[in-house]
Amino acid sequence: MIESLLPPGVASSEAFDDAAPAPLFPAEEALMTGRRARRHRQFATARACARRCLADLGHAPVALLPGPGGAPAWPTGVVGSITHCDGYRAAVADHFGRTAALGIDAEPAGPLPPGVLGLITSPAERAHLSDLAAADPATPWERLFFSAKEAVYKAWYPATGTWLGFRQATLSLSPTGSFTCTLHPPPTAPALDPHYTGRWLTTPTLVLTAVARAGA
Ligand SMILES: CC(C)(COP(=O)(O)OP(=O)(O)OC[C@H]1O[C@@H](n2cnc3c(N)ncnc32)[C@H](O)[C@@H]1OP(=O)(O)O)[C@@H](O)C(=O)NCCC(=O)NCCS
């Protein structure tokens, strides 16, 4: 599914459960020591997805350890993104240069927990979501909105090392499966084009969002 949201040539791999054995490198296994079994399994399956992407790009399998801010440290010359939630794990990657930034996010297709919407939206964004819901009540717009901002963040952070809250991004969803986002970073952040575009899809159980920025 995720490949349908990305430009041709971007490597992708996804899984809907943890049925396939997914061995970890010792340094990755050490990260999971003491973690809940569910987290361990999802981490391992997502790492297996990431290594399939690396293989597609001609890279040997390597440990993918978290770098600053939790972003996975891909091998030099590779840009990528990882997501996992109940019922879905995925990774995407490409050669840095052909692609400058990637961000993907998956969420369960349900309403957001109470109180979250007000934390992640401006009044104008809430009006936008109300309009979308009035025209199409079946789509989980609020969950999609949350997911799309997370996908943008995953594309932004590895390039800048700068934390951004949900209110530092203005996002607009199109009913046709795309979205646009403008970031409002602090003046101390590295100068980077603040405009992102992405794509989304929903299934009866999932929402998926993806952001890809082409290389220079
Ligand atoms: C980091 C964050 C986006 C992860 O999203 P999530 O829905 O909680 O979890 P997901 O399963 O989809 O993604 C987790 C994966 O994201 C990746 N990730 C974590 N931190 C990251 C970062 N700073 N940059 C890029 N990728 C990151 C990791 O690969 C992680 O999986 P792993 O720990 O198994 O390696 C989220 O927890 C967060 O901190 N959000 C706040 C910032 C934000 O979204 N701002 C929006 C405005 S731009």
Side-chain angles (χ1 to χ4, degrees), residues 39 43 47 69-70 72 83-84 105 107 150 154 157 163-165:
R39 164 67 169 142
F43 179 86
R47 280 326 193 249
T83 188
H84 35 67
D105 190 73
E107 296 283 331
E150 292 215 314
K154 290 182 189 178
Y157 185 88
W163 160 263
L164 281 185

Side-chain angles (χ1 to χ4, degrees), residues 47-189:
R47 280 326 193 249
C49 290
R51 285 191 264 278
R52 279 193 285 276
C53 293
L54 287 178
D56 286 350
L57 298 175
H59 280 263
V62 291
L64 290 165
L65 301 174
W74 294 86
T76 302
V78 175
V79 61
S81 184
I82 292 173
T83 188
H84 35 67
C85 70
D86 284 347
Y88 193 74
R89 305 87 174 86
V92 300
D94 200 4
H95 300 288
F96 182 68
R98 185 166 67 180
T99 296
L102 288 168
I104 60 169
D105 190 73
E107 296 283 331
L112 287 171
V116 172
L117 187 66
L119 300 176
I120 66 162
T121 51
S122 66
E125 288 173 326
R126 288 194 287 282
H128 165 60
L129 287 170
S130 294
D131 290 345
L132 290 168
D136 174 6
T139 296
W141 295 109
E142 295 177 1
R143 186 67 83 154
L144 262 177
F145 192 89
F146 175 81
S147 177
K149 282 198 175 179
E150 292 215 314
V152 170
Y153 180 72
K154 290 182 189 178
W156 155 266
Y157 185 88
T160 61
T162 303
W163 160 263
L164 281 185
F166 286 90
R167 301 289 292 273
Q168 290 171 287
T170 302
L171 193 122
S172 176
L173 292 164
S174 161
T176 57
S178 62
F179 60 87
T180 58
C181 185
T182 301
L183 301 182
H184 316 292
T188 50

